[in-house]
């Protein structure tokens, strides 16, 4: 069971969970798909957490008062961001019809829950002085962007023009105003639910 102490094993588990979430999010929403999606995202979070814990031997930087404070501030920020994002879900089901809302944090960025997830991983890595954990942040970010792009394609197909209007208004996927090139989104899927 030595592999359970290997940080690269947990990085692999985290990436496996992230890829599983991407596969699930690209399909049609079902009850089983939601459960599997939850399990894969749980694997992602578990991989991120286990990777940085002190019982995984790895190179670490000295965590003094400054790094402990920074790590705690990032963790609190991630928790607040995540709670606020979960309280304002952009998709609600009303009388068997999906209703799209863009209030709260979703009026500023399109994916605040994923941003909270990245900040959580970064805060934990700093708090535990995990060099590998800090180095994995760009990989987690890239993986989450991959999941977001797949989810956005599905939302374009399912919600059509209202979602495209929202994307044009709220440019940042995870950071307000940050986007790659000013591209106006056109309706890519004119026929919904096909």
């Amino acid at each position: 069971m030595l592999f359970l102490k290997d940080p690269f094993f947990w990085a692999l588990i985290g990436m496996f969970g992230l890829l599983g979430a991407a596969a699930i999010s690209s399909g049609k929403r079902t009850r089983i798909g939601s459960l599997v999606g939850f399990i894969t995202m749980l694997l992602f979070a578990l991989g991120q957490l286990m990777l940085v814990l002190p019982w995984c031997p790895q190179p670490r930087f000295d965590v003094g008062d400054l790094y402990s404070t920074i790590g705690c501030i990032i963790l609190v920020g991630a928790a607040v961001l995540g709670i606020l994002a979960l309280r304002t879900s952009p998709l609600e089901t009303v009388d068997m019809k999906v209703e799209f809302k863009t209030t709260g944090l979703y009026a500023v960025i399109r994916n605040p829950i994923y941003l909270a997830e990245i900040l959580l991983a970064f805060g934990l890595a700093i708090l535990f002085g995990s060099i590998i954990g800090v180095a994995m942040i760009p990989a987690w970010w890239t993986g989450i962007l991959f999941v977001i792009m797949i989810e956005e394609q599905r939302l374009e197909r399912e919600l059509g023009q209202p979602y495209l209007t929202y994307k044009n208004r709220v440019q940042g996927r995870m950071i307000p105003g940050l986007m790659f090139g000013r591209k106006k989104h056109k309706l890519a899927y004119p026929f919904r639910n096909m």
Side-chain angles (χ1 to χ4, degrees):
M1 298 292 246
L2 286 176
F3 65 92
L4 292 177
K5 289 189 173 191
D6 187 351
F8 294 104
F9 169 76
W10 292 109
L12 180 67
I13 292 294
M15 291 309 283
F16 175 75
L18 199 55
L19 289 174
I24 296 299
S25 67
S26 66
K28 201 162 183 77
R29 295 250 182 223
T30 63
R31 189 167 289 175
I32 290 195
S34 295
L35 176 64
V36 173
F38 174 76
I39 291 170
T40 58
M41 285 309 285
L42 190 61
L43 282 176
F44 175 59
L46 180 67
Q48 286 180 315
L49 174 65
M50 298 302 285
L51 170 78
V52 300
L53 289 179
W55 70 290
C56 278
Q58 60 184 286
R60 295 189 184 272
F61 56 87
D62 184 31
V63 181
D65 291 339
L66 178 64
Y67 285 122
S68 292
T69 303
I70 290 171
C72 287
I73 289 170
I74 293 171
L75 286 173
V76 168
V80 168
L81 184 67
I83 290 168
L84 290 175
L86 288 171
R87 290 186 65 200
T88 312
S89 176
L91 298 174
E92 292 183 4
T93 305
V94 180
D95 297 330
M96 302 298 288
K97 183 181 172 187
V98 174
E99 192 173 301
F100 185 59
K101 297 181 178 191
T102 58
T103 58
L105 287 174
Y106 292 92
V108 180
I109 57 175
R110 295 195 308 258
N111 299 283
I113 294 173
Y114 288 131
L115 176 59
E117 181 114 17
I118 288 292
L119 289 175
L120 180 70
F122 188 53
L124 286 170
I126 289 175
L127 190 63
F128 290 111
S130 171
I131 292 173
I132 295 172
V134 171
M136 285 298 297
I137 296 301
W140 300 136
W141 188 283
T142 303
I144 285 177
L145 282 177
F146 178 67
V147 171
I148 288 170
M149 288 189 288
I150 291 171
E151 283 183 356
E152 286 182 344
Q153 287 177 350
R154 183 183 51 80
L155 289 169
E156 285 178 18
R157 282 191 309 267
E158 291 178 5
L159 300 175
Q161 192 59 47
Y163 187 73
L164 293 172
T165 302
Y166 170 66
K167 279 177 75 173
N168 283 328
R169 186 171 45 86
V170 180
Q171 297 292 324
R173 283 186 171 127
M174 287 194 285
I175 297 178
L178 180 66
M179 56 178 272
F180 300 101
R182 286 215 171 263
K183 174 183 157 191
K184 291 290 182 185
H185 303 282
K186 291 190 245 177
L187 184 58
Y189 306 97
F191 305 103
R192 293 163 111 191
N193 300 324
M194 292 192 110

